Amino acid sequence: MTRLLQTLMDGLSVGSLYALIALGYTMVYGVLQFINFSHGDVFMLGAWFSFWLATRAGWAGQNAHPSLFRAAVVLSTAMLLCGILGFLIERLAYRPLRNAPRLNVLITAIGVSLFLENAGQLKFIFGTQNQLMPALLPSTTLATVADVHITLINVIIIVFSLALMAALDWVVHRTRAGMAMRAVAFDTRTASLMGVNVNRVVSTTFVVGSMLAAAAGFLYAIKYENINQPAFPTWILLGLKAFVAAVVGGIGNIRGAMLGGLLIGLIEMFGAAYISSEYRDVYVFSLLILVLLVRPTGLLGRSTVEKV
């Protein structure tokens, strides 16, 4: 029972992080119909921005006193920086290719990803050394159920992630901005003729997706503390798993990305706990293959008819 509850808690915690990252993949695909492979690097930069902000503010070392206020300041600033970065990526790298063949956009996405990873390694930016995230939140145990310690950090990760996902879902389905986003995703040309500012909608999509990835990067940093250097393969793998979550849920579907993220986190954690931790990545990609074989559009995806 203890093992089951602990694994469930870990799965929900990790799955919430995957879901936050997956939302950026699925939003961009839903609006522009291409995969933004640099999105995983924005998640990495969210973690590194959080570390950089905390250390520059003097909240590391002997001054590393846990504080909700400090955590909120670092989180909001990291989200703002990544939002600006997302805007610049769309404006400088993708908008000039709006009507170019998909292959050109795909190659550009890979190029942007490599640029962010290697630029982050420069000595005057983040460097090539791993770093330890300052303790911004107390490692408090809120409750103990069947010998399972429910920590403040895990609760914050799950609750805050679910709150962000619920807010995004409300914005997309209940506001005029969300209606414009759905109109552009349905038919860009018609939406433009109806007066929708397509460029603004696309920029907003990149900014919001990048801010969610930054939030995931911050939460990842405070949970695991050890921040690998910007080009470390772990970042690529985490980005790929989030992409898998978006595909499993039905890429282009926001609620599907949430479901896929939580499902991937649970599959990974339960597989590692009850079968073997050596194959935790295998479980994730096996689920992807299984879903694609049974339901190619993803769990909540819908088939579309291509007009020729």
Side-chain angles (χ1 to χ4, degrees), residues 198-223:
V198 174
N199 286 334
R200 182 181 299 172
V201 169
V202 173
S203 293
T204 303
T205 301
F206 272 83
V207 169
V208 172
S210 298
M211 293 178 75
L212 293 175
F218 168 82
L219 296 172
Y220 177 87
I222 64 168
K223 179 177 176 60

Side-chain angles (χ1 to χ4, degrees), residues 37-50:
F37 279 113
S38 65
H39 185 66
D41 299 287
V42 178
F43 157 68
M44 173 272 292
L45 289 173
W48 271 101
F49 280 147
S50 300

Side-chain angles (χ1 to χ4, degrees), residues 150-172:
I150 302 175
T151 63
L152 175 65
I153 291 178
N154 273 339
V155 170
I156 286 179
I157 288 175
I158 295 171
V159 172
F160 185 65
S161 299
L162 291 177
L164 284 179
M165 288 185 268
L168 177 66
D169 188 73
W170 180 82
V171 168
V172 170

Side-chain angles (χ1 to χ4, degrees), residues 16 98 163:
S16 299
R98 185 75 57 82

Side-chain angles (χ1 to χ4, degrees), residues 105-174:
V105 182
L106 176 63
I107 293 172
T108 300
I110 295 172
V112 172
S113 174
L114 292 173
F115 172 78
L116 294 177
E117 291 172 12
N118 289 282
Q121 286 187 304
L122 295 175
K123 188 176 181 179
F124 62 91
I125 300 182
F126 300 130
T128 58
Q129 300 297 318
N130 297 352
Q131 298 291 348
L132 195 63
M133 182 70 184
L136 294 177
L137 290 175
S139 54
T140 306
T141 298
L142 297 177
T144 301
V145 179
D147 293 332
V148 175
H149 300 296
I150 302 175
T151 63
L152 175 65
I153 291 178
N154 273 339
V155 170
I156 286 179
I157 288 175
I158 295 171
V159 172
F160 185 65
S161 299
L162 291 177
L164 284 179
M165 288 185 268
L168 177 66
D169 188 73
W170 180 82
V171 168
V172 170
H173 293 96
R174 302 290 182 186

Side-chain angles (χ1 to χ4, degrees), residues 22-305:
L23 285 171
Y25 282 112
T26 210
M27 287 173 67
V28 170
Y29 183 85
V31 171
L32 294 177
Q33 302 292 304
F34 77 85
I35 307 300
N36 176 21
F37 279 113
S38 65
H39 185 66
D41 299 287
V42 178
F43 157 68
M44 173 272 292
L45 289 173
W48 271 101
F49 280 147
S50 300
F51 166 79
W52 181 82
L53 290 164
T55 52
R56 287 297 179 275
W59 296 337
Q62 295 181 343
N63 294 322
H65 304 302
S67 162
L68 285 175
F69 171 75
R70 292 180 175 182
V73 169
V74 170
L75 169 63
S76 55
T77 310
M79 290 177 70
L80 177 63
L81 291 175
C82 283
I84 295 172
L85 178 66
F87 173 81
L88 292 175
I89 290 174
E90 189 280 326
R91 185 66 184 83
L92 300 177
Y94 295 136
R95 189 176 297 183
L97 300 174
R98 185 75 57 82
N99 300 313
R102 297 297 176 198
L103 181 60
N104 296 18
V105 182
L106 176 63
I107 293 172
T108 300
I110 295 172
V112 172
S113 174
L114 292 173
F115 172 78
L116 294 177
E117 291 172 12
N118 289 282
Q121 286 187 304
L122 295 175
K123 188 176 181 179
F124 62 91
I125 300 182
F126 300 130
T128 58
Q129 300 297 318
N130 297 352
Q131 298 291 348
L132 195 63
M133 182 70 184
L136 294 177
L137 290 175
S139 54
T140 306
T141 298
L142 297 177
T144 301
V145 179
D147 293 332
V148 175
H149 300 296
I150 302 175
T151 63
L152 175 65
I153 291 178
N154 273 339
V155 170
I156 286 179
I157 288 175
I158 295 171
V159 172
F160 185 65
S161 299
L162 291 177
L164 284 179
M165 288 185 268
L168 177 66
D169 188 73
W170 180 82
V171 168
V172 170
H173 293 96
R174 302 290 182 186
T175 66
R176 290 178 62 86
M179 185 185 298
M181 194 177 293
R182 285 183 285 127
V184 172
F186 185 76
D187 190 325
T188 302
R189 180 177 172 79
T190 303
S192 177
L193 292 174
M194 295 297 290
V196 176
N197 188 328
V198 174
N199 286 334
R200 182 181 299 172
V201 169
V202 173
S203 293
T204 303
T205 301
F206 272 83
V207 169
V208 172
S210 298
M211 293 178 75
L212 293 175
F218 168 82
L219 296 172
Y220 177 87
I222 64 168
K223 179 177 176 60
Y224 295 104
E225 297 182 343
N226 183 40
I227 306 176
N228 293 307
Q229 60 112 330
F232 200 75
T234 297
W235 298 116
I236 300 173
L237 184 60
L238 290 171
L240 278 177
K241 287 182 180 177
F243 173 66
V244 168
V247 175
V248 166
I251 193 159
N253 187 308
I254 289 176
R255 294 173 183 174
M258 301 176 197
L259 174 64
L262 294 175
L263 193 57
I264 289 292
L266 290 171
I267 290 288
E268 181 180 346
M269 288 298 119
F270 274 95
Y274 288 92
I275 303 177
S276 171
S277 60
E278 295 180 356
Y279 301 112
R280 58 197 311 157
D281 301 333
V282 174
Y283 311 136
V284 173
F285 293 104
S286 297
L287 176 66
L288 172 66
I289 295 171
L290 180 63
V291 169
L292 289 178
L293 287 174
V294 177
R295 190 174 172 82
T297 58
L299 297 177
L300 299 185
R302 290 182 299 181
S303 300
T304 58
V305 178

